[in-house]
Amino acid sequence: MAEGDGLTMNNLLSEVQGALDKFKLEDDTTGGPNDYYSPYANLEKAAVLQEARCFHDPTAVRESPRKCCTVIAQLLHLTNTGQYMNSAEATEVFFGVTKLFMSDDASLRRMVYLFIKDVAETCNPDDVIIVTSSLTKDMTCDVDLYRANALRVLARIVDAAMLGAIERYVKQAVVDSSGQVSSAALVSATHLFERNEESAAIVKRWISETTEATSSPNEMVQFHAMQLLYQIKKHDRLGMQKLVTQFSQRNTLRSPLALVLLVRYTAKLLTDEVAEGRQSGSFQTGTNFSRAGYAFLEASLRHKSEMVVYEAAKSICALPNIEPQELSPAVNVLQIFLSSPKPAVRFAAIKTVSQVAVNHPRIVSKCNEDLEALIADANRSIATLAITTLLKTGSENSVDRLLKQISVFLSEIPDEYKVTIVKSIQRLCLTYPAKHRVLVGFLSNFLREEGGFEFKRSIVNSIVSLMKQVPETTEGSLLHLCEFIEDCEFTMLSTQILHLLGELGPGTSAPARYIRFIYNRVILENSAVRAAAVGALSKFAARCPSLRSSILTLLKRSLDDEDDETRDRASVAVSVLKDAMEEFPYLAPAEDADPDEEPVPDVPQAGDPAAFVLLQGLPMSFDRLDRSIRAYVKAPAAMDSPDQLTLSTLPIVEEYEEPESAVDDDDDIGADAALAAAVSGKEKEKKEVVDPAAAVYAIPELAALGRVFRSSPPTALSEEEAEYVVTCVKHVLPEHIILQFPIQNTLEDQRLVNCTVTVEGDSECFEVAGEVAAENIKYGETVNAFTVISRIPDAPLAPCNFECVLNFGVIQVDPKSGEDESDPFEEEYPLEELEIATSDFMAKVSVPDFRSSWEMVGNSNEVLEKFALQFKKQEDAVSAVIDFLGMQPCDGTGHIKPGEGGKKPHMLHLSGVFVGGTNVLARAQVAAQGDASGVLLKIAVRSDDPDVSRMVADCIR
């Protein structure tokens, strides 16, 4: 072989691989899917670019259009597989492609259009403009194929200025007699509308042509015209209502796709009518548009197209607050679809019926016979939905029969379908609590069957939820879970169940029966499960003095455990239990005791050290403890303080998010949120919490005032588009309020100096004590200014308003060089009024157990009030009460569950800490009045200080 051939190892390997592939193709005659050989495999960019030079040869372009098409396809393949061309290569190829317009071959011309669309975003915009004249020429030619594709390509490359030049041609194309051209123009207009505001303003002028296009005999043109009309009018409610009313009454739309869009637009407008308070009660007796819109949806149920009928039925079922009699026509249509021979239609129908069954099970119950027939459907998704729907609509008498059918079905489907069915069984148990034994037994049987982690986790969480919501299931469920952990292969589930046993087991009628199951885990399991088992045994001993001696013997065997965690837990428990047994020895009841006498309760006595150490939890979560310690360390002179560091001396840290949402997640309905998060592994990403008081501590004069009790969220004092953007953060201290004013300079030709915010107000409890100026604020910078307000001694706290004015010096600067061009001159800039409310002195702090905390505070300082609030929605009233009081919602009461707003009174539990360390609790009942005149609020506030209780109750306004 000659030296000039340039043989390299890569070339050699490529030749060998090509030969192997060739022999493989020749030898394999099986015809399987793996026999396919891609014509674009092993393409090299350099070789393809070399081939692309044929674009510059007029003879090759005219005589070999097929070859040019192949080269363009190879170039597109390279681009879409990540082998991008650099700027020079792309420009050269692009100029070559533009010369292909001289060919009249239809296939080549389509490939040229495709290539220009694909590389338009990567090429130089100045190069792309070159093909505009060729595309405009094609847009006005006589060949519909060229005109349609030229329009689509032009929509990709033109800007607003160029769009104005070709606007006349596009408007003509919108109403063209050719459906292909008209549809392409409408789609291009839709893309242009979404590009930028300038293009959208031009497209809005085409509304008359677009409306005319809706009368086209071509169904696809009608569809695209309806899309564009919605884009143009979607922010105009009255315009959309007029559009929907006209088309629903004229009956001019023949395209099923266009009718589907019209049904969706009608449903959206009806939903907005309800959301904005213009429609209440039945749609058939509501506003004019509500009546007409619902009549159109109902009429669409009788359309000849299945997709229109289904869309209308689905829209009716999704309407908010719909009456049962209005829902019946849609359910009747869906019932017919359940027996359709098409799997897609059956699936769509059963999915919608399943959603309706959540709120209207009685209406869906007439479909039960059709649903039972679908349990044996070959499509597992349809069969699963049929079962879950039956579980929602079935009667109490049909539960046993349903479970028998499900038991056969569950063994044949994957775990993801099983999880859905388990959740439905859980809801069924809540519906029929009397069947809890049968349903819990059914779930526990499948705990012992084969299955993955998610399936077993869903069963455990369901059983845990049922124990909390149906207390009668507790003892039987605990025994089922004990049997499960005997053979459980999942450590996380075992530790969750052991923790649950430690919490609930000692309170059952015979707690000793669970000791054997727990101790078996100490002997047979890994270190994490052993540690959890030792913790559970310790809780049994702490809560049941009669079991302490036997449990102490078991715990001593773990003192030599190889795992540090297990050994340490056992050591602490043994030491504490020994002290408790010496101080409070257990006296067993006498054998000859009168059986009629009430037995001595098996509970720890007051002052029992075991109960205090092993059962008493921290007064705050670990996250709050961590944040509180960090805040303590950052406070000035904190580490030099001679005072002992205790939980009560730590700074108050607020909870800005409610710890438990009232909207239950379907995955863990009623289950322990922390345990569920640990088991699922879906731990939320924690954001670093920045201490807002750090800016105060950075200034020695302000740091000397003491530790900040709480800091409020920023309050805007100017518009975001203003020349000077000012916000305010209120830092509350026991005797002062520090107002932090972040000031942003948005003027490029100015520099601000000596910026202060003057605060003036007529208040009997506050007075301005001093200011700290922002010395220098350049363009784009945000610098803090501070104003200190002192509380007047012995004056009661009361809400007050302050007028704020920004005072500053202005120096004109050169925007380019940044050099000063003038001496400073004084300016004033008025700001919005600042309110200091009672809620600013309240820190949002939750309590672990609101009920026990409420009873512990007592009613000696309780304040009861009743208010009539002017809110149309119960949800808005709940949010407003929380904002007025500035307290933290507890027990998931901060939100109303979807679909329950206005149906019944909502009980709101709130807790917080008032400045000075006074704990405050509040219970509020928010009830919507039947005559829609507002919301009635009944509130009770408790604290250790009657003045604080009164101030908090007076926050409602």
Side-chain angles (χ1 to χ4, degrees), residues 667-791:
D667 291 342
D668 309 296
I669 300 177
D672 189 306
L675 291 172
V679 174
S680 65
K682 300 175 183 176
E683 186 175 349
K684 291 184 179 179
E685 185 177 342
K686 292 184 178 179
K687 295 182 180 180
E688 185 68 25
V689 179
V690 179
D691 186 8
V696 174
Y697 297 150
I699 300 176
E701 296 86 351
L702 301 180
L705 297 177
R707 191 166 66 201
V708 174
F709 171 71
R710 73 174 295 267
S711 301
S712 71
T715 302
L717 298 182
S718 65
E719 300 291 338
E720 292 185 1
E721 298 81 11
E723 299 92 337
Y724 315 109
V725 181
V726 183
T727 57
C728 178
V729 178
K730 293 169 274 190
H731 302 281
V732 179
L733 287 75
E735 301 298 332
H736 300 84
I737 298 177
I738 300 176
L739 302 179
Q740 175 188 347
F741 298 100
I743 305 170
Q744 182 184 12
N745 177 17
T746 64
L747 297 180
E748 193 173 2
D749 59 349
Q750 289 186 4
R751 180 166 61 88
L752 310 184
V753 296
N754 195 27
C755 301
T756 60
V757 177
T758 303
V759 177
E760 295 181 357
D762 186 11
S763 173
E764 298 179 356
C765 54
F766 299 109
E767 60 181 0
V768 178
E771 296 174 343
V772 177
E775 298 295 341
N776 186 35
I777 309 178
K778 297 180 180 179
Y779 165 67
E781 291 184 345
T782 300
V783 182
N784 294 318
F786 296 89
T787 299
V788 180
I789 298 177
S790 298
R791 287 178 56 184

